[in-house]
Structure formats: C-alpha cells, structure tokens
Amino acid sequence: MKTTLFAMICLAVALAYAKADSAGLRPLTISAPHHARALEGVMVYPGLDDGTAVAFGANPVFVGAAMRKGATLADGPFPVVLLSHGLGGNIRTLSWLAAGLAERGALVAMVNHPNSTTGDFDMQAGLRHGTRAQDLSLVLDELLTDPDLAPMIDRTRIMAAGFSYGGWTALSLGGLRGSLEGYRAHCKDVGQASSHCADIEAAGVSLTELSAEVWDAAYGDARITHVAAIDPGPIWGLKPANAAGLIGNVRLVSLGYAVTRLFATDIYASGLRALLPEAEVTDLAPAAHFTALPPCTDIGAAILAEEGDEPVCTDPKGTDRRAIHAQIIDVLAADLGL
C-alpha cells in the first residue's frame, strides 16, 4: 500500500509539473516551393509559466493575446490545430483563438498565407485558394517530422480551422471542393450585394479568366480528422458532388442573426448548411462577421474611422466580443476532447 501511495504521489507531482500554465509562442519558418519562398508564422502551444510575457497581436486597434515567448513546451500528447486567417488578414487576427486553444492543451500552428495576407496581397493570386491548403499541409509535415514534437502529437486529433476565407481553407483541407462555375453564377447574379464578389470586381479580377481546373481541384489532406470553419467563404454555388469527399467531423460557426450575417459567408443563405446536414453548427448572436477579430482597444474604432477603414470594431448592439470568442474556443476544444 505504501509503495502504491508513493507511486501515486510521484505521478501527481509529474503531472502537475507537466501541466500547461499558459500559451507558449515560437516562430515558425517553413520552405514553400509552391510559393518559391518561405512561409512565416508561429506555433502557439501548451507551455509552462516561463519565457517572456508578450501580448501577441497587440497594436493601437486590437488588444493582443497573452502568451509567453519561448516558454517550455508542456508534456503531450496533444492535438494539433492548423489555423488559417481570412483574406487580407494575418496570423495576429486569430491570436485570441490560438492562445485559447493552446491553454486548453492544443498545439496550434498558423502562417501568413502568401498573396492573401496584410501587406502581401494579390487578389488574382490569392484566389488560387488551394495554395493556402498546401501551406498548412506543409506545416503539418514539419510538425510530424520534428523529432521533439512528433512524439507528443496525437495523430487522431488533427484539426483544420479558420475564419472567413480561412474557413474555406479549413473545409478544403477536410475534402470540400470548390465550384468555379457555381461561384461565377453567384457573383453574376448578386453583384455588389456580396462583399466578396464586389472586392473581386474592384480588384479588376474576372472570375471568367480563372482556371476551373485549379479552383475545383481536391486539396484535402488525409491526415485531417476535424474541421472547424468560422463564417467561411466563398461557399456559394456548391452542389452535393463538391462535398462528397468531406470528412465527417465538421463544425460550422455562424456569426449573427439573419439580418446581421455577412451575406458572402452566410452558411444558411448560401445553402452550405443544407449541403452539410451532418455538420455540427454553432450559431452565435448578437454578433457579426468581424466579431471574430480580436477585441478592440478603447481608441480602435476611432482610429479606423479616421483612416476610412472598415468598421471592424463595431459590433451589433448587445454583442460581447470576448464572450463570443470564449464560446468559439469552448466548442472547438470540445470537438477535440479538451
């Protein structure tokens, strides 16, 4: 009995030592031949309470997420989340989600997608959405071949997750295929009513000049076990055949009531929800599309107004952005068994 008790005490001490205290942060640089340049990003992971405290993603508009740069990696096993930002966004815009999942016990990796990132944007090239899926497949290759990380990864829990265009990237990694013909017809039909169609037109890009072979290709990664798509787009014009290869563990997160949802990413109006009847759906309201961005500083909205930028700090009346974020973290963590 004494031996057993001693063993239990030792085990408890070991577990307490290995438990994550915070979200650790490390830089990530990966060669990407399909871009002819490197991918730059970060790994956010279950870390111990050491390293240097930082507010990752903080700037005059947005509040950063608390992380510890260089913190010691906690013991695994832990699931992996490959996290994809929106069109024109960057890894800092999802810092809150990366930190929240890492604190729950997930290893999160995210990169700035070339040609569709803040300060590195080309609409024509960015619409080759398959390159984003390739980016994250390369990240996963890196993690699973790292001699220190690989033994700690639970390969039965590998999630592709993302927001907006990143949500489409996540669905693509899970096996959903696009329909350029369907999306062309949608934009021709609705025109400026869709912010995405309007942005494509404003950039001088014609959907008729894009390659259906490239747009409609399969970009799934067989190692992905879960998908989480937050207000994903472009999701219009899809048919059952496009979803035939999609994996079973899919979570869709919809932001806003019908009147406040972003038309371009509305999973109901677009027919995506009906197309994926087996998917788990989380409806969060009051909220709007940009509620998924980080909490704003006290002067964030004023700065955006002065610069004539999009009012991404302005949520519908009654919205609690931090509470919405907490609910998203909860459902993704639950899907991964955290």
Side-chain angles (χ1 to χ4, degrees), residues 11-97:
L11 176 61
V13 171
L15 289 174
Y17 177 78
K19 181 183 177 184
D21 296 307
S22 60
L25 176 69
R26 295 182 188 176
L28 196 60
T29 302
I30 299 171
S31 175
H34 62 289
H35 290 300
R37 54 174 153 149
L39 298 172
E40 300 292 341
V42 295
M43 184 177 78
V44 185
Y45 54 90
L48 303 186
D49 197 17
D50 56 3
T52 303
V54 296
F56 185 68
N59 61 31
V61 174
F62 294 122
V63 175
M67 299 184 189
R68 301 197 71 86
K69 188 175 182 179
T72 301
L73 180 70
D75 287 344
F78 30 65
V80 167
V81 178
L82 305 172
L83 190 54
S84 181
H85 64 75
L87 188 66
N90 59 74
I91 57 175
R92 296 174 183 272
T93 59
L94 292 175
S95 56
W96 61 271
L97 181 53

Side-chain angles (χ1 to χ4, degrees), residues 16-300:
Y17 177 78
K19 181 183 177 184
D21 296 307
S22 60
L25 176 69
R26 295 182 188 176
L28 196 60
T29 302
I30 299 171
S31 175
H34 62 289
H35 290 300
R37 54 174 153 149
L39 298 172
E40 300 292 341
V42 295
M43 184 177 78
V44 185
Y45 54 90
L48 303 186
D49 197 17
D50 56 3
T52 303
V54 296
F56 185 68
N59 61 31
V61 174
F62 294 122
V63 175
M67 299 184 189
R68 301 197 71 86
K69 188 175 182 179
T72 301
L73 180 70
D75 287 344
F78 30 65
V80 167
V81 178
L82 305 172
L83 190 54
S84 181
H85 64 75
L87 188 66
N90 59 74
I91 57 175
R92 296 174 183 272
T93 59
L94 292 175
S95 56
W96 61 271
L97 181 53
L101 291 174
E103 289 169 0
R104 296 290 186 92
L107 187 158
V108 183
M110 49 186 180
V111 294
N112 287 319
H113 295 291
N115 301 313
S116 60
T117 297
T118 310
D120 175 17
F121 188 81
D122 180 322
M123 181 67 81
Q124 182 91 32
L127 287 176
R128 294 174 62 93
H129 57 85
T131 63
R132 294 168 131 253
Q134 290 174 277
D135 294 346
L136 295 185
S137 285
L138 281 178
V139 171
L140 186 55
D141 289 343
E142 185 80 6
L143 299 180
L144 294 180
T145 56
D146 184 286
D148 297 319
L149 290 176
M152 295 189 180
I153 291 174
D154 181 351
R155 299 184 184 221
T156 68
R157 295 182 294 164
I158 298 178
M159 173 183 278
F163 164 62
S164 197
Y165 201 49
W168 176 260
T169 302
L171 288 164
S172 296
L173 277 167
L176 187 69
R177 298 175 66 159
S179 170
L180 183 56
E181 179 184 6
Y183 205 66
R184 284 171 179 162
H186 161 66
C187 285
K188 182 178 180 181
D189 181 46
V190 305
Q192 297 291 312
S194 165
S195 57
H196 190 236
C197 297
D199 287 344
I200 292 172
E201 182 179 342
V205 175
S206 172
L207 289 173
T208 61
E209 297 175 358
L210 299 181
S211 167
E213 182 179 2
V214 173
W215 184 286
D216 299 354
Y219 297 106
D221 188 319
R223 299 169 295 183
I224 300 299
T225 63
H226 296 71
V227 167
I230 305 165
D231 256 17
I235 52 176
W236 291 77
L238 301 177
K239 296 180 179 179
N242 301 108
L246 185 62
I247 64 172
N249 296 320
V250 175
R251 167 77 56 181
L252 300 175
V253 178
S254 175
L255 298 172
Y257 298 116
V259 295
T260 58
R261 291 185 201 124
L262 184 66
F263 184 62
T265 60
D266 190 331
I267 66 170
Y268 295 99
S270 66
L272 181 67
R273 175 63 183 114
L275 186 66
L276 307 179
E278 303 298 320
E280 296 289 339
V281 177
T282 299
D283 293 299
L284 298 175
H289 186 66
F290 292 119
T291 303
L293 295 183
C296 293
T297 65
D298 292 340
I299 60 173

